[in-house]
Amino acid sequence: MSSARTLDDLASALLSGSVRVIDLSAPLGPETPVIQLPPQIGKNTPPVKVHSISRYDADGPYWAWNWLELGEHTGTHFDAPRHWISGKDYPDGATDRIPVKSFVAPANVIDRSKEAAANADYLLTVDSIRAWEKEHGEIEPGGWVLLRTDWYKRNGSSDTFLNADANGPHSPGPTAEAITYLISKGVIGWGSETVGTDAGSAGRMNPPFPAHTLMHQANRYGLASLCHLDQLPAKGAVLIAAPLKFVEGTGSPVRALALVPN
Ligand code: MN
């Protein structure tokens, strides 16, 4: 099939609804939960602020517009390789220099929602990924791997979403070995429904924060606070997630979308 024909077919499928567009993003605003690092680890991102410039008033009689105060890593967002010290030297590792091809790619969705419901500290292992591949097919190079946990249903309240107690945050994520395995399969990135790409317990792993340390060390990407992964098939969706072209950016909020067969 010619590529022009493929695009024609896609356009028709979008118009007819036989391919649907799913919104994978959380609402972005002052209520958006932001990660809370312990003070001994470092500084935090402030909450989103929306500043009005005018609202059809004396400051601009016919128009409304705002200016925003927000962190690069806020809400549903993209992690660029240079977000982490292990990926800081890649010439194409900032948001303005990542090849745009990476922003449109196939998605593998690993559903571990039952496991995460039973155990907030659930960790995805290599064995679990291999079991998924046996059922759904091999993870091929060039795609994303997204961990479905239904954690997005907690997004909206910082308390339940961050889920922290005196021992720190409790939220699901990958083991270091799982990330190493996915890199060996040639994935371009790792995505999760939690506030960041790593598990709540990841600060105590070896290496600490493996989804950040290892993925970015390999010049791969991250997506955090994804929503509605429960509407995606295990394989067959196309993920569209383009960070803003921030000069030298380490990440960016995104409107993440998925194209899925109806
Ligand atoms: Mn981030």
Side-chain angles (χ1 to χ4, degrees):
M1 190 188 293
S2 77
S3 55
R5 174 72 192 279
T6 303
L7 267 185
D8 272 352
D9 286 350
L10 174 60
S12 303
L14 286 165
L15 290 174
S16 73
S18 70
V19 167
R20 290 187 306 140
V21 183
I22 306 291
D23 190 355
L24 305 183
S25 308
L28 182 64
E31 306 302 318
T32 296
V34 286
I35 199 165
Q36 298 295 325
L37 300 174
Q40 64 272 22
I41 291 191
K43 288 188 183 177
N44 279 298
T45 292
V48 173
K49 277 194 189 150
V50 182
H51 304 273
S52 176
I53 305 169
S54 75
R55 188 146 297 266
Y56 331 111
D57 55 19
D59 295 324
Y62 305 130
W63 55 89
W65 53 352
N66 307 313
W67 67 274
L68 304 177
E69 200 178 327
L70 82 171
E72 291 172 320
H73 299 261
T74 305
T76 303
H77 72 273
F78 189 102
D79 284 359
R82 67 167 300 170
H83 178 38
W84 223 251
I85 189 169
S86 54
K88 69 182 176 59
D89 293 325
Y90 285 108
D92 58 354
T95 46
D96 58 329
R97 283 182 264 128
I98 293 171
V100 293
K101 183 177 184 289
S102 302
F103 304 150
V104 184
N108 301 276
V109 182
I110 300 180
D111 177 8
R112 294 293 176 260
S113 53
K114 281 194 193 88
E115 291 79 356
N119 172 17
D121 290 306
Y122 169 76
L123 298 177
L124 180 73
T125 62
V126 175
D127 282 349
S128 182
I129 299 172
R130 286 208 171 108
W132 182 92
E133 288 185 295
K134 219 166 200 180
E135 195 179 342
H136 301 287
E138 203 162 326
I139 291 167
E140 285 155 346
W144 286 88
V145 171
L146 312 177
L147 178 61
R148 174 186 161 194
T149 53
D150 292 352
W151 202 260
Y152 82 91
K153 294 175 181 172
R154 296 164 171 253
N155 194 341
S157 150
S158 283
D159 282 353
T160 54
F161 192 55
L162 304 178
N163 200 35
D165 63 17
N167 298 318
H170 299 276
S171 57
T175 60
E177 293 76 17
I179 292 295
T180 299
Y181 178 73
L182 293 177
I183 292 167
S184 79
K185 303 291 283 189
V187 304
I188 62 164
W190 162 263
S192 77
E193 297 179 15
T194 47
V195 71
T197 54
D198 268 300
S201 61
R204 298 187 293 274
M205 292 181 187
N206 182 25
F209 308 106
H212 289 85
T213 303
L214 301 174
M215 290 301 286
H216 300 326
Q217 179 173 280
N219 204 16
R220 316 291 164 89
Y221 318 114
L223 278 170
S225 298
L226 291 169
C227 298
H228 304 137
L229 296 183
D230 50 355
Q231 296 183 40
L232 270 53
K235 271 181 176 282
V238 173
L239 178 71
I240 304 170
L244 294 177
K245 205 167 178 176
F246 285 137
V247 176
E248 303 290 331
T250 72
S252 160
V254 288
R255 188 68 180 262
L257 305 171
L259 305 184
V260 303
N262 204 352

PDB file of all heavy atoms in Angstrom, residues 36-61:
ATOM      1  N   GLN A  36       5.918  16.392  45.243  1.00  0.00           N
ATOM      2  CA  GLN A  36       6.427  17.005  46.480  1.00  0.00           C
ATOM      3  C   GLN A  36       7.689  16.261  46.914  1.00  0.00           C
ATOM      4  O   GLN A  36       7.612  15.202  47.512  1.00  0.00           O
ATOM      5  CB  GLN A  36       5.372  16.916  47.601  1.00  0.00           C
ATOM      6  CG  GLN A  36       4.076  17.653  47.301  1.00  0.00           C
ATOM      7  CD  GLN A  36       4.255  19.160  47.187  1.00  0.00           C
ATOM      8  OE1 GLN A  36       5.080  19.748  47.896  1.00  0.00           O
ATOM      9  NE2 GLN A  36       3.525  19.789  46.291  1.00  0.00           N
ATOM     10  N   LEU A  37       8.846  16.835  46.596  1.00  0.00           N
ATOM     11  CA  LEU A  37      10.098  16.214  47.013  1.00  0.00           C
ATOM     12  C   LEU A  37      10.381  16.590  48.460  1.00  0.00           C
ATOM     13  O   LEU A  37      10.091  17.713  48.875  1.00  0.00           O
ATOM     14  CB  LEU A  37      11.253  16.691  46.128  1.00  0.00           C
ATOM     15  CG  LEU A  37      11.128  16.393  44.630  1.00  0.00           C
ATOM     16  CD1 LEU A  37      12.261  17.060  43.869  1.00  0.00           C
ATOM     17  CD2 LEU A  37      11.136  14.892  44.390  1.00  0.00           C
ATOM     18  N   PRO A  38      10.957  15.651  49.236  1.00  0.00           N
ATOM     19  CA  PRO A  38      11.363  16.024  50.594  1.00  0.00           C
ATOM     20  C   PRO A  38      12.415  17.133  50.504  1.00  0.00           C
ATOM     21  O   PRO A  38      13.249  17.116  49.587  1.00  0.00           O
ATOM     22  CB  PRO A  38      11.983  14.743  51.159  1.00  0.00           C
ATOM     23  CG  PRO A  38      11.677  13.657  50.189  1.00  0.00           C
ATOM     24  CD  PRO A  38      11.325  14.284  48.880  1.00  0.00           C
ATOM     25  N   PRO A  39      12.378  18.116  51.424  1.00  0.00           N
ATOM     26  CA  PRO A  39      13.286  19.269  51.325  1.00  0.00           C
ATOM     27  C   PRO A  39      14.762  18.877  51.264  1.00  0.00           C
ATOM     28  O   PRO A  39      15.553  19.576  50.626  1.00  0.00           O
ATOM     29  CB  PRO A  39      12.966  20.099  52.580  1.00  0.00           C
ATOM     30  CG  PRO A  39      12.040  19.265  53.421  1.00  0.00           C
ATOM     31  CD  PRO A  39      11.458  18.195  52.561  1.00  0.00           C
ATOM     32  N   GLN A  40      15.120  17.747  51.896  1.00  0.00           N
ATOM     33  CA  GLN A  40      16.543  17.363  51.868  1.00  0.00           C
ATOM     34  C   GLN A  40      16.986  16.900  50.477  1.00  0.00           C
ATOM     35  O   GLN A  40      18.180  16.835  50.188  1.00  0.00           O
ATOM     36  CB  GLN A  40      16.861  16.296  52.937  1.00  0.00           C
ATOM     37  CG  GLN A  40      16.175  14.950  52.771  1.00  0.00           C
ATOM     38  CD  GLN A  40      14.796  14.879  53.447  1.00  0.00           C
ATOM     39  OE1 GLN A  40      14.153  15.910  53.695  1.00  0.00           O
ATOM     40  NE2 GLN A  40      14.326  13.683  53.732  1.00  0.00           N
ATOM     41  N   ILE A  41      16.018  16.573  49.599  1.00  0.00           N
ATOM     42  CA  ILE A  41      16.373  16.132  48.239  1.00  0.00           C
ATOM     43  C   ILE A  41      16.496  17.317  47.292  1.00  0.00           C
ATOM     44  O   ILE A  41      17.396  17.367  46.456  1.00  0.00           O
ATOM     45  CB  ILE A  41      15.323  15.124  47.701  1.00  0.00           C
ATOM     46  CG1 ILE A  41      15.420  13.813  48.472  1.00  0.00           C
ATOM     47  CG2 ILE A  41      15.528  14.876  46.217  1.00  0.00           C
ATOM     48  CD1 ILE A  41      14.629  12.678  47.860  1.00  0.00           C
ATOM     49  N   GLY A  42      15.588  18.303  47.438  1.00  0.00           N
ATOM     50  CA  GLY A  42      15.699  19.449  46.537  1.00  0.00           C
ATOM     51  C   GLY A  42      14.467  20.317  46.579  1.00  0.00           C
ATOM     52  O   GLY A  42      13.557  20.112  47.379  1.00  0.00           O
ATOM     53  N   LYS A  43      14.457  21.302  45.677  1.00  0.00           N
ATOM     54  CA  LYS A  43      13.342  22.253  45.599  1.00  0.00           C
ATOM     55  C   LYS A  43      12.182  21.639  44.821  1.00  0.00           C
ATOM     56  O   LYS A  43      12.360  20.692  44.066  1.00  0.00           O
ATOM     57  CB  LYS A  43      13.797  23.515  44.868  1.00  0.00           C
ATOM     58  CG  LYS A  43      14.742  24.382  45.670  1.00  0.00           C
ATOM     59  CD  LYS A  43      14.975  25.692  44.919  1.00  0.00           C
ATOM     60  CE  LYS A  43      15.981  26.563  45.651  1.00  0.00           C
ATOM     61  NZ  LYS A  43      16.267  27.800  44.881  1.00  0.00           N
ATOM     62  N   ASN A  44      11.017  22.238  44.948  1.00  0.00           N
ATOM     63  CA  ASN A  44       9.826  21.747  44.273  1.00  0.00           C
ATOM     64  C   ASN A  44       9.310  22.727  43.219  1.00  0.00           C
ATOM     65  O   ASN A  44       9.644  23.904  43.233  1.00  0.00           O
ATOM     66  CB  ASN A  44       8.723  21.470  45.292  1.00  0.00           C
ATOM     67  CG  ASN A  44       8.907  20.126  45.957  1.00  0.00           C
ATOM     68  OD1 ASN A  44       8.872  19.086  45.293  1.00  0.00           O
ATOM     69  ND2 ASN A  44       9.146  20.116  47.242  1.00  0.00           N
ATOM     70  N   THR A  45       8.491  22.172  42.320  1.00  0.00           N
ATOM     71  CA  THR A  45       7.764  22.987  41.341  1.00  0.00           C
ATOM     72  C   THR A  45       6.589  23.658  42.046  1.00  0.00           C
ATOM     73  O   THR A  45       5.838  22.976  42.736  1.00  0.00           O
ATOM     74  CB  THR A  45       7.228  22.075  40.218  1.00  0.00           C
ATOM     75  OG1 THR A  45       8.320  21.559  39.469  1.00  0.00           O
ATOM     76  CG2 THR A  45       6.311  22.839  39.284  1.00  0.00           C
ATOM     77  N   PRO A  46       6.409  24.965  41.888  1.00  0.00           N
ATOM     78  CA  PRO A  46       5.205  25.584  42.462  1.00  0.00           C
ATOM     79  C   PRO A  46       3.962  25.179  41.672  1.00  0.00           C
ATOM     80  O   PRO A  46       4.075  24.739  40.521  1.00  0.00           O
ATOM     81  CB  PRO A  46       5.473  27.091  42.324  1.00  0.00           C
ATOM     82  CG  PRO A  46       6.522  27.215  41.287  1.00  0.00           C
ATOM     83  CD  PRO A  46       7.262  25.920  41.177  1.00  0.00           C
ATOM     84  N   PRO A  47       2.778  25.305  42.277  1.00  0.00           N
ATOM     85  CA  PRO A  47       1.545  24.999  41.537  1.00  0.00           C
ATOM     86  C   PRO A  47       1.361  25.946  40.349  1.00  0.00           C
ATOM     87  O   PRO A  47       1.964  27.016  40.288  1.00  0.00           O
ATOM     88  CB  PRO A  47       0.445  25.241  42.571  1.00  0.00           C
ATOM     89  CG  PRO A  47       1.105  25.420  43.882  1.00  0.00           C
ATOM     90  CD  PRO A  47       2.533  25.780  43.633  1.00  0.00           C
ATOM     91  N   VAL A  48       0.522  25.529  39.406  1.00  0.00           N
ATOM     92  CA  VAL A  48       0.222  26.353  38.232  1.00  0.00           C
ATOM     93  C   VAL A  48      -0.479  27.635  38.682  1.00  0.00           C
ATOM     94  O   VAL A  48      -1.361  27.601  39.541  1.00  0.00           O
ATOM     95  CB  VAL A  48      -0.708  25.580  37.268  1.00  0.00           C
ATOM     96  CG1 VAL A  48      -1.169  26.471  36.116  1.00  0.00           C
ATOM     97  CG2 VAL A  48      -0.024  24.333  36.743  1.00  0.00           C
ATOM     98  N   LYS A  49      -0.063  28.769  38.102  1.00  0.00           N
ATOM     99  CA  LYS A  49      -0.791  30.022  38.344  1.00  0.00           C
ATOM    100  C   LYS A  49      -1.220  30.603  37.007  1.00  0.00           C
ATOM    101  O   LYS A  49      -0.451  30.600  36.045  1.00  0.00           O
ATOM    102  CB  LYS A  49       0.108  31.030  39.066  1.00  0.00           C
ATOM    103  CG  LYS A  49       0.153  30.829  40.567  1.00  0.00           C
ATOM    104  CD  LYS A  49       0.760  32.041  41.237  1.00  0.00           C
ATOM    105  CE  LYS A  49       1.019  31.739  42.714  1.00  0.00           C
ATOM    106  NZ  LYS A  49       2.170  32.509  43.223  1.00  0.00           N
ATOM    107  N   VAL A  50      -2.438  31.104  36.970  1.00  0.00           N
ATOM    108  CA  VAL A  50      -2.979  31.737  35.765  1.00  0.00           C
ATOM    109  C   VAL A  50      -3.178  33.214  36.078  1.00  0.00           C
ATOM    110  O   VAL A  50      -3.929  33.563  36.985  1.00  0.00           O
ATOM    111  CB  VAL A  50      -4.317  31.102  35.343  1.00  0.00           C
ATOM    112  CG1 VAL A  50      -4.844  31.747  34.065  1.00  0.00           C
ATOM    113  CG2 VAL A  50      -4.159  29.587  35.160  1.00  0.00           C
ATOM    114  N   HIS A  51      -2.443  34.075  35.367  1.00  0.00           N
ATOM    115  CA  HIS A  51      -2.530  35.521  35.585  1.00  0.00           C
ATOM    116  C   HIS A  51      -3.312  36.145  34.429  1.00  0.00           C
ATOM    117  O   HIS A  51      -2.919  36.004  33.272  1.00  0.00           O
ATOM    118  CB  HIS A  51      -1.133  36.147  35.631  1.00  0.00           C
ATOM    119  CG  HIS A  51      -0.228  35.536  36.665  1.00  0.00           C
ATOM    120  ND1 HIS A  51      -0.187  35.960  37.964  1.00  0.00           N
ATOM    121  CD2 HIS A  51       0.664  34.519  36.583  1.00  0.00           C
ATOM    122  CE1 HIS A  51       0.701  35.242  38.645  1.00  0.00           C
ATOM    123  NE2 HIS A  51       1.226  34.365  37.828  1.00  0.00           N
ATOM    124  N   SER A  52      -4.368  36.855  34.747  1.00  0.00           N
ATOM    125  CA  SER A  52      -5.160  37.489  33.698  1.00  0.00           C
ATOM    126  C   SER A  52      -4.455  38.771  33.215  1.00  0.00           C
ATOM    127  O   SER A  52      -3.970  39.557  34.018  1.00  0.00           O
ATOM    128  CB  SER A  52      -6.540  37.837  34.257  1.00  0.00           C
ATOM    129  OG  SER A  52      -7.286  38.534  33.276  1.00  0.00           O
ATOM    130  N   ILE A  53      -4.383  38.939  31.907  1.00  0.00           N
ATOM    131  CA  ILE A  53      -3.869  40.196  31.348  1.00  0.00           C
ATOM    132  C   ILE A  53      -5.044  41.129  31.065  1.00  0.00           C
ATOM    133  O   ILE A  53      -5.018  42.301  31.425  1.00  0.00           O
ATOM    134  CB  ILE A  53      -3.058  39.947  30.049  1.00  0.00           C
ATOM    135  CG1 ILE A  53      -1.929  38.942  30.309  1.00  0.00           C
ATOM    136  CG2 ILE A  53      -2.496  41.252  29.498  1.00  0.00           C
ATOM    137  CD1 ILE A  53      -1.262  38.438  29.048  1.00  0.00           C
ATOM    138  N   SER A  54      -6.063  40.585  30.410  1.00  0.00           N
ATOM    139  CA  SER A  54      -7.291  41.359  30.200  1.00  0.00           C
ATOM    140  C   SER A  54      -8.448  40.396  30.057  1.00  0.00           C
ATOM    141  O   SER A  54      -8.256  39.206  29.757  1.00  0.00           O
ATOM    142  CB  SER A  54      -7.194  42.245  28.945  1.00  0.00           C
ATOM    143  OG  SER A  54      -7.334  41.463  27.775  1.00  0.00           O
ATOM    144  N   ARG A  55      -9.632  40.908  30.292  1.00  0.00           N
ATOM    145  CA  ARG A  55     -10.842  40.069  30.154  1.00  0.00           C
ATOM    146  C   ARG A  55     -11.951  40.960  29.593  1.00  0.00           C
ATOM    147  O   ARG A  55     -12.869  41.330  30.286  1.00  0.00           O
ATOM    148  CB  ARG A  55     -11.201  39.454  31.512  1.00  0.00           C
ATOM    149  CG  ARG A  55     -12.312  38.428  31.453  1.00  0.00           C
ATOM    150  CD  ARG A  55     -12.118  37.321  32.461  1.00  0.00           C
ATOM    151  NE  ARG A  55     -10.900  36.573  32.176  1.00  0.00           N
ATOM    152  CZ  ARG A  55     -10.866  35.458  31.435  1.00  0.00           C
ATOM    153  NH1 ARG A  55     -11.957  34.968  30.907  1.00  0.00           N
ATOM    154  NH2 ARG A  55      -9.731  34.852  31.229  1.00  0.00           N
ATOM    155  N   TYR A  56     -11.816  41.368  28.325  1.00  0.00           N
ATOM    156  CA  TYR A  56     -12.787  42.246  27.639  1.00  0.00           C
ATOM    157  C   TYR A  56     -13.083  43.464  28.518  1.00  0.00           C
ATOM    158  O   TYR A  56     -14.244  43.809  28.763  1.00  0.00           O
ATOM    159  CB  TYR A  56     -14.090  41.492  27.332  1.00  0.00           C
ATOM    160  CG  TYR A  56     -13.944  39.998  27.127  1.00  0.00           C
ATOM    161  CD1 TYR A  56     -14.448  39.091  28.051  1.00  0.00           C
ATOM    162  CD2 TYR A  56     -13.285  39.508  26.003  1.00  0.00           C
ATOM    163  CE1 TYR A  56     -14.301  37.727  27.871  1.00  0.00           C
ATOM    164  CE2 TYR A  56     -13.132  38.140  25.818  1.00  0.00           C
ATOM    165  CZ  TYR A  56     -13.654  37.255  26.759  1.00  0.00           C
ATOM    166  OH  TYR A  56     -13.504  35.910  26.586  1.00  0.00           O
ATOM    167  N   ASP A  57     -12.011  44.071  29.019  1.00  0.00           N
ATOM    168  CA  ASP A  57     -12.191  45.164  29.987  1.00  0.00           C
ATOM    169  C   ASP A  57     -11.202  46.286  29.659  1.00  0.00           C
ATOM    170  O   ASP A  57     -10.626  46.294  28.565  1.00  0.00           O
ATOM    171  CB  ASP A  57     -12.017  44.638  31.415  1.00  0.00           C
ATOM    172  CG  ASP A  57     -10.677  43.920  31.609  1.00  0.00           C
ATOM    173  OD1 ASP A  57      -9.750  44.126  30.784  1.00  0.00           O
ATOM    174  OD2 ASP A  57     -10.558  43.151  32.583  1.00  0.00           O
ATOM    175  N   ALA A  58     -10.997  47.182  30.580  1.00  0.00           N
ATOM    176  CA  ALA A  58     -10.134  48.342  30.335  1.00  0.00           C
ATOM    177  C   ALA A  58      -8.711  47.916  29.959  1.00  0.00           C
ATOM    178  O   ALA A  58      -7.995  48.643  29.272  1.00  0.00           O
ATOM    179  CB  ALA A  58     -10.109  49.248  31.566  1.00  0.00           C
ATOM    180  N   ASP A  59      -8.282  46.731  30.375  1.00  0.00           N
ATOM    181  CA  ASP A  59      -6.930  46.244  30.060  1.00  0.00           C
ATOM    182  C   ASP A  59      -6.831  45.615  28.670  1.00  0.00           C
ATOM    183  O   ASP A  59      -5.736  45.215  28.242  1.00  0.00           O
ATOM    184  CB  ASP A  59      -6.485  45.229  31.121  1.00  0.00           C
ATOM    185  CG  ASP A  59      -6.345  45.879  32.487  1.00  0.00           C
ATOM    186  OD1 ASP A  59      -5.908  47.049  32.532  1.00  0.00           O
ATOM    187  OD2 ASP A  59      -6.685  45.234  33.496  1.00  0.00           O
ATOM    188  N   GLY A  60      -7.962  45.533  27.997  1.00  0.00           N
ATOM    189  CA  GLY A  60      -8.011  44.944  26.661  1.00  0.00           C
ATOM    190  C   GLY A  60      -9.472  44.791  26.317  1.00  0.00           C
ATOM    191  O   GLY A  60     -10.069  43.767  26.628  1.00  0.00           O
ATOM    192  N   PRO A  61     -10.087  45.837  25.709  1.00  0.00           N
ATOM    193  CA  PRO A  61     -11.547  45.915  25.655  1.00  0.00           C
ATOM    194  C   PRO A  61     -12.224  44.805  24.867  1.00  0.00           C
ATOM    195  O   PRO A  61     -13.351  44.453  25.166  1.00  0.00           O
ATOM    196  CB  PRO A  61     -11.813  47.278  25.017  1.00  0.00           C
ATOM    197  CG  PRO A  61     -10.524  47.697  24.390  1.00  0.00           C
ATOM    198  CD  PRO A  61      -9.435  47.022  25.142  1.00  0.00           C
TER     199      PRO A  61
END
